[in-house]
Amino acid sequence: MYQLRKAKPDELDRIVDFILPLQASAETRCLHLDWTRPGLSADIQDLDAPLNEAFWLACEGPELVGVLGLDQSLESGRGWLHGPFAREQDWETIVSMLFAAIWQALPAQITRVSNYLELANACGLDFHSRFGFVPKGVSHIYRAQNRPTQAPAGITSAEPTDFEALGALHQAAFPQSWLSGNELSAKIDLSHPLLVARHQGEPIGYIRLSRHVSLSEASVDFVAVAPSFQGQGLGRQLLEAGLDWIFANQRLETAFLNVSDDNTNALGLYQSAGFEPFQSGVALDWWRTLSPA
């Protein structure tokens, strides 16, 4: 008989120890989390929700047999799954119980829950499909290694006077993003810079980055250019400014980004800047209106 409970604040190492070997295999990997011990630990600690709110555990006596996490933003109405991770024996039963526990506690404000599973994670993809998740298509994680860079002139950090225009640009470019237009500016800090291109003093494009110092890496979260300024090389300038911040300013070793398989323009841009394919997965969404009865 399995017992379900929320994680305890001091169980980070236990959860990492359980997830790590499952993340090592493409057949059980969730791409919302890293696959190295330092990266996995950092990802879990970086979630907005604390450990004892984000993760549910399934136990058989003293043995941990399953883990599933959910980070959420009530402002955007979004949730993001981390897992599921379960032992092979009785996998379906354990995962079903974990999903039921999370959905029973899901706030009414959360109308969309997303996950991102490795292409080879057949059991996970099949379970999500039967639960009511809809695949958005294949996406790719691209990686670039440290290289010489030169920051383009005129691209600087966002100022408070830019925030309203940047929020509107972000909302138009990424209407279903995990980060809302308001959050784009509200969450600027030393590890999450927002670099801006301007025309006659007005923002016309931006790049948002996330730094992971303990891993010597950073991610390119968003790049957007106002429609009337697209096709003029501004996206490449913003990307180069971001890479200059990552490699020259912060002296990090690796940059990552995520891109949809059908976004051919972005794929060409990233490849021309030195990014190479690293991993591929399927993005999945559950919508409250599509919830099974």
Side-chain angles (χ1 to χ4, degrees):
M1 185 67 179
Y2 303 117
Q3 303 84 41
L4 294 182
R5 63 173 176 83
K6 287 286 190 72
K8 298 175 182 177
D10 61 354
E11 289 188 297
L12 175 62
D13 288 343
R14 187 184 188 198
I15 291 172
V16 169
D17 287 342
F18 183 82
I19 293 176
L20 194 60
L22 296 171
Q23 280 292 83
S25 170
E27 295 180 354
T28 50
R29 185 178 297 141
C30 171
L31 294 179
H32 275 164
L33 294 172
D34 201 85
W35 48 93
T36 67
R37 179 175 293 277
L40 178 57
S41 180
D43 281 348
I44 292 174
Q45 293 179 86
D46 284 346
L47 299 181
D48 287 337
L51 188 71
N52 59 312
E53 293 181 11
F55 280 87
W56 280 84
L57 309 184
C59 300
E60 187 176 33
E63 181 186 0
L64 181 60
V65 297
V67 173
L68 181 61
L70 177 73
D71 200 19
Q72 55 189 304
S73 166
L74 296 182
E75 178 181 344
S76 64
R78 295 283 308 275
W80 300 270
L81 286 175
H82 302 278
F85 303 103
R87 72 178 185 191
E88 186 174 358
Q89 179 187 352
D90 223 7
W91 185 93
E92 179 87 16
T93 298
I94 296 168
V95 170
S96 296
M97 292 176 67
L98 288 166
F99 266 73
I102 281 186
W103 254 255
Q104 186 175 3
L106 194 68
Q109 300 97 311
I110 302 299
T111 59
R112 178 186 176 193
V113 178
S114 302
N115 208 346
Y116 189 20
L117 300 182
E118 180 86 34
L119 273 173
N121 190 343
C123 287
L125 290 170
D126 177 67
F127 182 91
H128 280 71
S129 176
R130 287 185 281 114
F131 195 83
F133 279 76
V134 178
K136 293 169 56 181
V138 175
S139 293
H140 306 286
I141 297 174
Y142 271 63
R143 177 175 65 178
Q145 301 294 348
N146 192 306
R147 63 167 175 79
T149 58
Q150 184 172 357
I155 296 177
T156 58
S157 298
E159 301 289 345
T161 52
D162 300 325
F163 291 172
E164 183 176 354
L166 288 171
L169 176 57
H170 180 75
Q171 206 63 38
F174 305 101
Q176 296 182 351
S177 163
W178 54 268
L179 194 71
S180 70
N182 290 334
E183 290 173 322
L184 180 72
S185 301
K187 294 192 174 183
I188 295 174
D189 57 34
L190 293 177
S191 294
H192 302 89
L194 189 62
L195 306 180
V196 181
R198 299 176 179 82
H199 177 70
Q200 297 181 350
E202 295 298 318
I204 57 171
Y206 69 87
I207 182 169
R208 200 257 192 182
L209 308 162
S210 292
R211 178 185 64 169
H212 311 286
V213 176
S214 62
L215 308 177
S216 193
E217 66 185 41
S219 60
V220 177
D221 297 329
F222 301 100
V223 182
V225 176
S228 57
F229 290 90
Q230 292 176 4
Q232 302 176 31
L234 188 55
R236 178 58 188 269
Q237 292 180 47
L238 286 163
L239 185 58
E240 193 65 21
L243 292 176
D244 184 74
W245 184 87
I246 292 170
F247 295 144
N249 185 296
Q250 299 297 302
R251 299 183 180 181
L252 303 176
E253 292 301 319
T254 311
F256 290 94
L257 55 79
N258 191 76
V259 59
S260 298
D261 187 64
D262 58 0
N263 193 345
T264 54
N265 289 338
L267 284 167
L269 169 64
Y270 299 145
Q271 289 168 354
S272 71
F275 281 87
E276 298 179 344
F278 181 59
Q279 287 182 315
S280 297
V282 178
L284 304 124
D285 279 332
W286 171 93
W287 296 85
R288 188 171 289 277
T289 54
L290 299 179
S291 173

